[in-house]
Amino acid sequence: MPTYTPPVKDMQFVLHDVLDVSKSGIAGYEELDRDFTQAVLDEAGKLARDVLAPLNRVGDEEGCRLENGVVRTPTGFKDAYDRMRAGGWMGLDADTEYGGQGMPYLLNAATGELFVSANMAFNMYQGLTHGVMSALYVHGSEEQKRTYLPNMIDGIWSGTMNLTEPHCGTDLGLIRTRAEPQDDGTYRITGQKIWISAGEHDLSENIIHLVLAKIPGGPEGTKGISLFIVPKFVVTEDGSLGSRNAVSCGGLESKMGIHGNATCVMNYDGATGFLVGEPHKGMRAMFTMMNEARLGVGLQGYAQGVVAYQNALAFAQERLQGRAVTGTVAPDKAADPIIVHPDVRRNLMDQKAFVEAARAFAFWGATLIDRSHRNHDADAEALISLLTPVIKGFLTDKGFETTVLAQQTLGGSGFTREWGIEQFVRDARITMIYEGTNGIQSLDLVGRKLGANGGKTVMGFFDIVKAFIAENDHDARLKAIFLDPLKDASKDLQAAAMYFTQSGMKDPNNALAGSYDFMHVFGHVCLGLMWARMAKASYAALDAGDGDTEFHESKIATGRYYMTRLLPATKTHLARIQSGAEPVMALDAANF
């Protein structure tokens, strides 16, 4: 059975040695000293390791059951949910005015990694609720916030987002769900939504659905979409639960993975709904939740890679097979552990080099969110908007790839349920699909984000990379191993962007055909930047003689591996981008 060890030491390294959060100038971060974050992460880690992780296989094997309109979650989930509630984890970064703890989003992201690695399907129940809370906090009326937020922050109520319908997914302009205005100011919501995570369950007393629907007579397409609160139980004026609303679960999806989370077909049969914001302005409100969800999915991708890597490493250190070609390593045993073999090392190094850089990238992204919200920094908001499709798309592509590499490390054992690695593969696979497929993320990156603000934002990213290289160019160790490869990869990214500028104007397909490769070039450059920053921190610790020598030397060696073995992939992606659309579009549809 798989095990999970919270990587708190590495998290602390990223937070304090790399990001130096307490001195970052972000409002509220001055309280994030090492002792404080250590205490928070230790407690979250214990909950993840001791409560959530043991339920991961239970959730996978039992799944959810629909009985008389009620979804029953797997054994132990309700108790675990109540323990999460009791610890205040659901409102960690929520506004204190509504009962939250008011901590930075960064801590929500860090603890979120721990919970996702331990039990991704379980964590989705509270993850969706967090997104609903964020959307209502920004776009809801004061009355709506006071009605719904305190109980959602406490976890007594939970939340969902309802976008997809049987006939449309990404193209939300095609939705058919109707919202008929009523004399009392409410709306009657009628329609069907599919693939609704946590749409129905037995963990909370009420479920607050955020539903996209169209008010009759509104504009066509996405300009005519409005957003509505549709609670499972209508809330009375005194805040208590009233009658059951006309919303029900019509069925549960049979899925490849995340069996412990209820993925529902939701039927709205004239349900009472409450408009959020202005009529026909629902997409703006929904994107608040969707963008947060996309960042959360990127975290899910690498977090599944983290736990898969941990178990692959443990197996490689114990499994005996063959002898090292350079000489016997374990003469007292029948064979050497497989970690002595170069190809197994390659496999494990691919995993390790990715998950450690991905963690730094995700945490950096979380600081940008805090900087934009807490410091009202428009540049930070623009930068995280640019990076969101990269975080979601690249980290989930590579996160899934990491779980497959972990499975490969175990050989035949990895293909069996007994060892548990195959569940991480199945669970991670959805991250590349939901909240906008990774193909859609790449189109968003190239089609919308790259040219945003007249290209100033992406140029600002290049300036960040250039500034780091220039500031540290005097360090020969960094320059040779980290800075020069980073500079080279950054030039590949700039060349790709320039190709889109020059060729995309002539034929938009030239840009769109290369968008997926561009997302990967961007992702590699971001992880290269993270490794350069981590290497700088480790060299500084070694020079000062006040750090864990083995830890920092291992960190530098892992970073060197990424820069020499993985970062050069930017050149392959660039060549594919510069080949243009013709090889992609050459066949007529009938000839596929």
Side-chain angles (χ1 to χ4, degrees):
M1 183 173 178
T3 60
Y4 175 60
T5 302
V8 174
K9 182 176 183 179
D10 198 65
M11 289 178 160
Q12 286 284 82
F13 169 72
V14 173
L15 290 173
H16 298 288
D17 297 313
V18 180
L19 298 176
D20 200 9
V21 291
S22 62
K23 298 178 182 178
S24 64
I26 300 173
Y29 272 40
E30 62 277 2
E31 299 178 4
L32 302 184
D33 59 34
R34 286 182 185 269
D35 290 342
F36 180 77
T37 58
Q38 183 78 41
V40 172
L41 294 176
D42 279 345
E43 286 303 309
K46 290 176 185 176
L47 185 61
R49 181 192 63 215
D50 301 337
V51 178
L52 303 187
L55 294 175
N56 198 39
R57 173 172 282 190
V58 174
D60 186 58
E61 294 180 345
E62 288 189 14
C64 297
R65 309 183 314 277
L66 179 60
E67 299 177 349
N68 300 318
V70 178
V71 171
R72 304 298 181 187
T73 53
T75 303
F77 271 43
K78 182 64 169 69
D79 179 64
Y81 185 86
D82 290 343
R83 293 184 68 168
M84 294 286 288
R85 275 192 55 218
W89 297 105
M90 299 178 184
L92 193 67
D93 64 330
D95 194 329
T96 55
E97 182 178 354
Y98 303 101
Q101 298 189 48
M103 295 185 189
Y105 176 78
L106 173 62
L107 278 186
N108 183 74
T111 56
E113 180 198 315
L114 298 169
F115 299 147
V116 170
S117 288
N119 196 325
M120 175 175 159
F122 174 87
N123 193 67
M124 289 173 65
Y125 290 100
Q126 66 189 50
L128 270 295
T129 302
H130 190 279
V132 174
M133 286 158 38
S134 296
L136 291 180
Y137 185 76
V138 175
H139 301 284
S141 66
E142 188 56 40
E143 179 183 0
Q144 289 172 340
K145 287 189 280 190
R146 296 203 175 278
T147 298
Y148 298 103
L149 288 183
N151 283 330
M152 296 180 77
I153 288 169
D154 181 79
I156 297 175
W157 299 351
S158 58
T160 73
M161 53 191 295
N162 288 238
L163 290 75
T164 306
E165 299 185 5
H167 61 283
C168 71
T170 300
D171 191 355
L172 292 173
L174 299 177
I175 67 171
R176 296 172 183 162
T177 301
R178 305 189 314 277
E180 299 281 351
Q182 304 299 299
D183 292 339
D184 62 359
T186 64
Y187 291 78
R188 290 178 65 83
I189 311 299
T190 303
Q192 186 179 77
K193 300 289 184 177
I194 63 171
W195 303 335
I196 307 306
S197 299
E200 166 61 31
H201 55 81
D202 57 2
L203 302 180
S204 62
E205 296 177 5
N206 201 8
I207 302 175
I208 311 304
H209 304 287
L210 284 191
V211 183
L212 290 182
K214 289 186 175 181
I215 300 171
E220 293 295 320
T222 57
K223 293 182 179 179
I225 293 177
S226 301
L227 183 64
F228 299 88
I229 298 170
V230 185
K232 177 179 177 179
F233 291 96
V234 177
V235 183
T236 64
E237 290 186 5
D238 65 2
S240 62
L241 298 184
S243 60
R244 174 67 187 261
N245 210 348
V247 52
S248 62
C249 175
L252 292 176
E253 301 290 353
S254 179
K255 304 167 296 187
M256 176 180 178
I258 55 170
H259 296 157
N261 190 265
T263 306
C264 304
V265 176
M266 300 302 298
N267 296 321
Y268 294 86
D269 301 306
T272 300
F274 305 88
L275 180 67
V276 178
E278 300 177 29
H280 319 308
K281 303 293 184 183
M283 290 302 294
R284 180 171 175 268
M286 184 58 85
F287 266 113
T288 297
M289 187 160 62
M290 288 175 66
N291 285 334
E292 177 182 305
R294 286 169 176 171
L295 293 166
V297 172
L299 184 147
Q300 286 180 334
Y302 87 79
Q304 287 297 284
V306 169
V307 66
Y309 163 66
Q310 287 186 3
N311 285 273
L313 175 61
F315 183 92
Q317 290 172 330
E318 296 173 1
R319 172 70 168 175
L320 303 179
Q321 192 80 33
R323 292 293 186 184
V325 294
T326 54
T328 299
V329 173
D332 58 326
K333 297 180 179 178
D336 290 333
I338 63 172
I339 199 169
V340 305
H341 304 305
D343 191 61
V344 174
R345 289 289 188 100
R346 171 201 58 79
N347 195 322
L348 291 170
M349 287 296 285
D350 275 4
Q351 298 170 55
K352 179 177 173 65
F354 166 72
V355 297
E356 292 182 10
R359 174 178 297 120
F361 185 25
F363 284 16
W364 179 47
T367 68
L368 292 174
I369 291 175
D370 280 330
R371 188 178 295 279
S372 69
H373 292 169
R374 290 170 169 257
N375 290 22
H376 307 289
D377 188 322
D379 290 337
E381 182 175 359
L383 183 55
I384 191 57
S385 179
L386 170 70
L387 295 177
T388 292
V390 183
I391 292 173
K392 195 282 183 185
F394 184 73
L395 294 191
T396 60
D397 272 1
K398 292 299 181 181
F400 172 72
E401 182 180 307
T402 298
T403 65
V404 174
L405 288 171
Q407 184 183 44
Q408 189 73 16
T409 307
L410 272 68
S413 298
F415 198 66
T416 64
R417 289 202 168 187
E418 176 186 357
W419 290 84
I421 296 291
E422 57 86 34
Q423 183 188 344
F424 301 136
V425 175
R426 289 185 287 108
D427 286 354
R429 185 62 182 87
I430 186 59
T431 65
M432 302 162 69
I433 298 172
Y434 63 10
E435 301 307 337
T437 66
N438 287 357
I440 293 296
Q441 301 306 313
S442 70
L443 295 180
D444 178 48
L445 175 63
V446 171
R448 295 178 62 245
K449 303 298 176 61
L450 189 58
N453 300 319
K456 291 181 180 178
T457 303
V458 72
M459 293 305 297
F461 173 80
F462 290 138
D463 288 342
I464 290 172
V465 176
K466 291 176 183 176
F468 181 85
I469 293 172
E471 290 168 5
N472 298 282
D473 203 50
H474 63 280
D475 189 327
R477 302 166 301 181
L478 275 177
K479 179 176 171 54
I481 302 174
F482 294 93
L483 302 186
D484 288 347
L486 176 60
K487 181 187 294 185
D488 200 34
S490 181
K491 288 180 179 178
D492 290 340
L493 180 61
Q494 294 176 63
M498 183 61 68
Y499 172 81
F500 292 152
T501 301
Q502 295 173 344
S503 300
M505 296 294 291
K506 301 174 185 177
D507 181 359
N509 280 338
N510 284 329
L512 300 184
S515 61
Y516 209 93
D517 286 283
F518 185 78
M519 181 177 72
H520 275 252
V521 176
F522 213 140
H524 276 298
V525 172
C526 288
L527 265 57
L529 176 61
M530 295 303 105
W531 270 119
R533 294 179 69 177
M534 288 190 286
K536 177 182 179 180
S538 284
Y539 278 130
L542 290 171
D543 290 344
D546 58 0
D548 182 331
T549 299
E550 185 176 353
F551 174 88
H552 291 294
E553 288 180 346
S554 297
K555 186 68 68 175
I556 292 166
T558 306
R560 181 173 66 243
Y561 180 90
Y562 192 92
M563 305 307 276
T564 57
R565 299 273 303 201
L566 302 180
L567 189 59
T570 59
K571 300 204 174 299
T572 299
H573 289 297
L574 177 60
R576 291 165 58 163
I577 289 168
Q578 292 176 334
S579 72
E582 198 281 328
V584 176
M585 306 299 292
L587 284 182
D588 291 334
N591 294 330
F592 274 84

